């Protein structure tokens, strides 16, 4: 059996998600920190099973198990699967193409590159404001009708 768990690279995203669960009264504030169980409610905008072989989660012929769980709505914080990759990768999630262009001009005019945004050795006031904007942008992952336009991914590939 293969068990997939997060590594320290993703701790910031899981800590952020845990804070969002506390804000939503899913975890009581002051409780010891528990990391969320990440499960799919819907895939590609529909309530259907995900093909685990797509995206490299399992190889052809490899035995895998998909679980179906029943959980009370009050214990769930729904987010979009694809958009959760923005917090996982510490990417800015623009609301539209204009917002994307504005954010890019903001960090480049401040003298930073795309890769500088996740370099936590950089601690200037400008960078702290950019990071605050990045983290606030992640709230969009809770809009299940929003689709990933791939703007951040295109920047990483360039």
């Amino acid at each position: 059996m293969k068990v997939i768990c997060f590594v320290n690279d993703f701790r910031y995203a899981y800590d952020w998600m845990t804070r969002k669960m506390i804000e939503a009264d899913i975890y009581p504030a002051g409780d010891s920190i528990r990391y969320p169980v990440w499960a799919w409610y819907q895939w590609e905008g529909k309530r259907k099973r995900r093909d685990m072989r797509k995206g490299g989660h399992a190889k052809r012929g490899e035995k895998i198990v998909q679980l179906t769980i029943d959980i009370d709505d009050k214990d769930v914080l729904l987010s979009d699967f694809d958009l959760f990759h923005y917090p996982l990768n510490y990417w800015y999630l623009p609301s539209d193409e204009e917002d994307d262009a504005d954010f890019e001009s903001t960090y480049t005019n401040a003298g930073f590159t795309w890769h500088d945004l996740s370099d936590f050795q950089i601690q200037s006031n400008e960078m702290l404001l950019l990071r605050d904007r990045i983290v606030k942008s992640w709230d969009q992952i809770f809009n299940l009708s929003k689709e990933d336009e791939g703007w951040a991914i295109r920047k990483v590939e360039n």
Side-chain angles (χ1 to χ4, degrees), residues 2 6-7 20-21 27 32 37 56 61 68 93 96-97 103 107 111-112 115 121 127 129 131 137 142 147:
K2 183 193 312 185
F6 73 93
V7 294
K20 290 295 174 181
M21 294 178 87
Y27 289 166
S32 61
V37 173
T68 301
L93 178 54
D96 55 31
E97 207 160 355
F103 184 70
Y107 72 75
F112 299 115
H115 298 287
Q121 300 298 315
M127 183 57 79
L129 290 172
R131 288 196 186 115
S137 79
F142 303 115
E147 292 187 26

Side-chain angles (χ1 to χ4, degrees), residues 55-108:
H57 295 287
K59 296 177 185 152
R60 188 169 190 77
E62 186 176 55
K63 293 182 179 185
I64 60 172
V65 174
Q66 285 191 20
L67 302 175
T68 301
I69 57 174
D70 287 317
I71 190 164
D72 196 314
D73 287 352
K74 71 176 182 53
D75 296 325
V76 175
L77 180 61
L78 293 178
S79 65
D80 182 87
F81 171 83
D82 290 320
L83 296 179
F84 186 59
H85 287 78
Y86 284 77
L88 281 177
N89 291 293
Y90 206 86
W91 294 338
Y92 180 72
L93 178 54
S95 56
D96 55 31
E97 207 160 355
E98 184 179 320
D99 182 38
D100 183 51
D102 177 67
F103 184 70
E104 184 173 8
S105 70
T106 301
Y107 72 75
T108 56

Side-chain angles (χ1 to χ4, degrees), residues 10-150:
F10 301 132
R11 186 171 301 273
Y12 191 94
Y14 278 88
D15 286 345
W16 173 80
M17 184 64 85
T18 300
R19 285 192 304 276
K20 290 295 174 181
M21 294 178 87
I22 290 169
E23 287 173 18
D25 283 333
I26 293 170
Y27 289 166
D31 240 11
S32 61
I33 295 296
R34 296 177 285 168
Y35 288 106
V37 173
W38 195 20
W40 289 277
Y41 167 74
Q42 65 184 36
W43 182 254
E44 296 175 339
K46 298 179 184 95
R47 293 201 57 194
K48 63 180 184 178
R49 286 186 164 191
R50 181 180 194 283
D51 183 349
M52 296 302 290
R53 286 166 180 81
K54 289 183 181 177
H57 295 287
K59 296 177 185 152
R60 188 169 190 77
E62 186 176 55
K63 293 182 179 185
I64 60 172
V65 174
Q66 285 191 20
L67 302 175
T68 301
I69 57 174
D70 287 317
I71 190 164
D72 196 314
D73 287 352
K74 71 176 182 53
D75 296 325
V76 175
L77 180 61
L78 293 178
S79 65
D80 182 87
F81 171 83
D82 290 320
L83 296 179
F84 186 59
H85 287 78
Y86 284 77
L88 281 177
N89 291 293
Y90 206 86
W91 294 338
Y92 180 72
L93 178 54
S95 56
D96 55 31
E97 207 160 355
E98 184 179 320
D99 182 38
D100 183 51
D102 177 67
F103 184 70
E104 184 173 8
S105 70
T106 301
Y107 72 75
T108 56
N109 289 340
F112 299 115
T113 68
W114 174 255
H115 298 287
D116 290 336
L117 298 172
S118 60
D119 179 353
F120 290 95
Q121 300 298 315
I122 302 172
Q123 291 293 317
S124 69
N125 287 338
E126 294 89 353
M127 183 57 79
L128 295 176
L129 290 172
L130 287 166
R131 288 196 186 115
D132 185 53
R133 188 169 168 186
I134 290 169
V135 172
K136 286 180 181 171
S137 79
W138 297 343
D139 283 341
Q140 296 177 83
I141 74 169
F142 303 115
N143 176 355
L144 299 182
S145 65
K146 182 172 176 57
E147 292 187 26
D148 183 7
E149 302 296 335

